[in-house]
Amino acid sequence: MLWALTCGLLDSVLHVVLPRHRPLGLARRRRNLPVYRPLVDLSTMEERHVILTYRLNRATIQELCAQLEPDLMSPIRQPTGIPPLVQVLSVLHFLASGSFQTTVAISSGMSQTMFSKVLSRVLSALMKYMRSYIIFPEVGDLPTVKGDFYALGHIPNIIGAIDGTHVALVPPKDDEQVYRNRKNYHSMNVQVVCLADQYISHLNAKFPGSVHDAYIMRNSSIPYVMELLQRHRVWLIGDSGYPNLPWLLTPVRNPRTRAEERYNEAHGRTRRVIERTFGLLKARFRCLHMTGGSLMYSPRKVCHIIVACCMLHNLALRRQVPFLQEDGPDGGVGAAVEPAESEEEEDEEDDTDNRDRVILQYFQ
């Protein structure tokens, strides 16, 4: 009798404390799941609006999403079951608009905290495919690449234009001065090599703004790659911030002959493609442009953002996605040329023999 009363009392207590006899751990996990409200439906958007918002067309976005889906659906640290397509669209919107995380998160139907996790996840997934999107010309491609550059300025054997551009960021407190560039704001100094069609063939986004372009070039893989290609007699073209090397042509600092002037004119017409590339890249992805404000992330994450934008820039070019400007005439196609950011000349001896031979042979 006493045992029956005890069991009945215990059962009543359990019904009050745990009315559904639910495991405490399961109940806690369910309470912590954030609410996701789908607000984006890509299938109902006009193609022009898709390109304006995400900088890629519908077919290219779906292709990219299919490539990244295995990484975005990984059971490890799964971000709340948000569909991979929504993850990709929210990050594309962030990169394209240069808006704050909160604004993009609200328009994507998720919290700012969740968008931050999604951003990291999509960037990590993209980094795995960097070598598939940013590719230096192979030997078999050199004749076509040289022909495209020759059409720009009539300098033979050019296979790339090299230069650096600055992307503003909020610097780490401990290394604030290291990130302050010569224009007195904090940035990453990004070295880019591009082709004649503005495709980015090489990228180095690891150095802070105070580092000189020539130093970044010497400490990248470019010297090694170009030395390997020297038997094909090919060159890069760069501004006066770089040293004149056997594989790198720079302008004549103080031209004294008409041939040197003609060479400098041809050099300027050819090298201008890198300025147009920076202009298009930063217009397409406003997070890299000064008008988008400074990126408020660690230098490592800023590097990942820059690489991701360059990958998507190349993807847009290869899929022939037009760049549309919302405030341009009829949704204007094109992009402004970014003002040249030539570095100050370094105090080092140039190897001018190669450049002199080019001037003598082609510009006399």
Side-chain angles (χ1 to χ4, degrees):
M1 185 65 178
L2 180 60
W3 174 253
L5 289 173
T6 304
C7 289
L9 180 60
L10 181 60
D11 189 57
S12 299
V13 171
L14 287 175
H15 272 81
V16 173
V17 177
L18 298 174
R20 299 181 184 176
H21 296 280
R22 221 171 23 179
L24 286 174
L26 179 59
R28 186 177 299 113
R29 285 196 298 272
R30 287 178 178 172
R31 282 197 302 270
N32 287 340
L33 283 178
V35 176
Y36 165 63
R37 302 178 180 85
L39 298 178
V40 179
D41 186 356
L42 192 65
S43 63
T44 63
M45 297 175 65
E46 294 183 359
E47 187 75 353
R48 171 180 163 78
H49 185 51
V50 171
I51 297 174
L52 281 171
T53 305
Y54 304 113
R55 300 303 193 248
L56 300 175
N57 58 24
R58 183 180 288 103
T60 305
I61 290 172
Q62 291 170 340
E63 175 188 334
L64 177 66
C65 188
Q67 183 180 41
L68 301 181
E69 185 171 0
D71 296 294
L72 302 182
M73 289 297 293
S74 171
I76 302 175
R77 297 173 63 187
Q78 172 70 14
T80 73
I82 295 177
L85 177 60
V86 177
Q87 296 182 52
V88 171
L89 289 177
S90 64
V91 172
L92 288 177
H93 185 194
F94 171 75
L95 299 176
S97 66
S99 299
F100 290 106
Q101 281 193 5
T102 302
T103 304
V104 176
I106 291 172
S107 65
S108 301
M110 65 184 80
S111 68
Q112 185 274 329
T113 301
M114 187 47 55
F115 174 75
S116 181
K117 295 178 181 179
V118 167
L119 175 62
S120 297
R121 193 175 185 83
V122 173
L123 290 176
S124 296
L126 281 169
M127 293 306 105
K128 295 182 180 181
Y129 300 96
M130 182 182 70
R131 296 186 184 277
S132 300
Y133 285 80
I134 300 175
I135 307 171
F136 203 80
E138 298 181 352
V139 173
D141 301 323
L142 294 183
T144 300
V145 173
K146 289 190 291 185
D148 292 342
F149 268 107
Y150 186 79
L152 297 180
H154 292 174
I155 300 180
N157 300 327
I158 301 297
I159 63 167
I162 185 171
D163 202 358
T165 189
H166 291 267
V167 175
L169 84 165
V170 176
K173 292 182 179 179
D174 296 339
D175 297 318
E176 182 267 341
Q177 286 301 321
V178 176
Y179 291 88
R180 187 179 296 277
N181 61 36
R182 69 188 186 281
K183 294 188 176 181
N184 206 32
Y185 68 89
H186 302 99
S187 67
M188 298 293 289
N189 192 356
V190 184
Q191 175 187 277
V192 167
V193 177
C194 77
L195 304 185
D197 63 355
Q198 303 180 52
Y199 177 91
I200 294 173
S201 60
H202 184 272
L203 173 68
N204 190 322
K206 299 178 180 179
F207 287 87
S210 64
V211 178
H212 195 281
D213 285 355
Y215 179 89
I216 298 175
M217 183 267 294
R218 288 195 300 266
N219 288 274
S220 70
S221 61
I222 284 296
Y224 174 76
V225 171
M226 292 303 297
E227 289 292 343
L228 291 178
L229 292 174
Q230 276 309 283
R231 63 189 180 91
H232 299 283
R233 196 166 176 257
V234 293
W235 304 303
L236 296 181
I237 193 165
D239 63 22
S240 57
Y242 292 97
N244 204 67
L245 299 171
W247 46 265
L248 177 58
L249 295 178
T250 61
V252 177
R253 295 172 182 172
N254 299 297
R256 291 187 292 267
T257 67
R258 182 58 188 142
E260 291 180 344
E261 291 175 354
R262 283 195 291 267
Y263 164 80
N264 274 2
E265 291 168 2
H267 186 284
R269 290 195 302 270
T270 306
R271 201 193 69 82
R272 202 166 295 127
V273 67
I274 188 70
E275 298 169 10
R276 291 197 298 269
T277 299
F278 289 145
L280 177 59
L281 174 68
K282 292 185 177 183
R284 183 171 261 148
F285 299 105
R286 304 299 294 183
C287 68
L288 303 182
H289 198 277
M290 287 291 292
T291 57
S294 300
L295 290 168
M296 296 182 288
Y297 303 97
S298 68
R300 177 180 174 82
K301 193 163 187 177
V302 170
C303 173
H304 288 174
I305 290 173
I306 294 168
V307 173
C309 290
C310 291
M311 292 170 60
L312 296 169
H313 165 85
N314 283 353
L315 179 61
L317 289 178
R318 288 300 177 252
R319 297 296 180 270
Q320 298 182 341
V321 180
F323 170 64
L324 303 182
Q325 291 177 300
E326 197 161 9
D327 54 354
D330 299 322
V333 178
V337 174
E338 182 175 81
E341 294 186 355
S342 300
E343 293 274 2
E344 296 177 0
E345 298 171 2
E346 281 205 319
D347 294 328
E348 59 176 288
E349 292 188 13
D350 284 352
D351 180 2
T352 59
D353 292 344
N354 186 56
R355 184 179 64 193
D356 292 342
R357 284 193 294 270
V358 171
I359 294 173
L360 180 65
Q361 184 172 357
Y362 297 102
F363 295 96
Q364 284 290 357

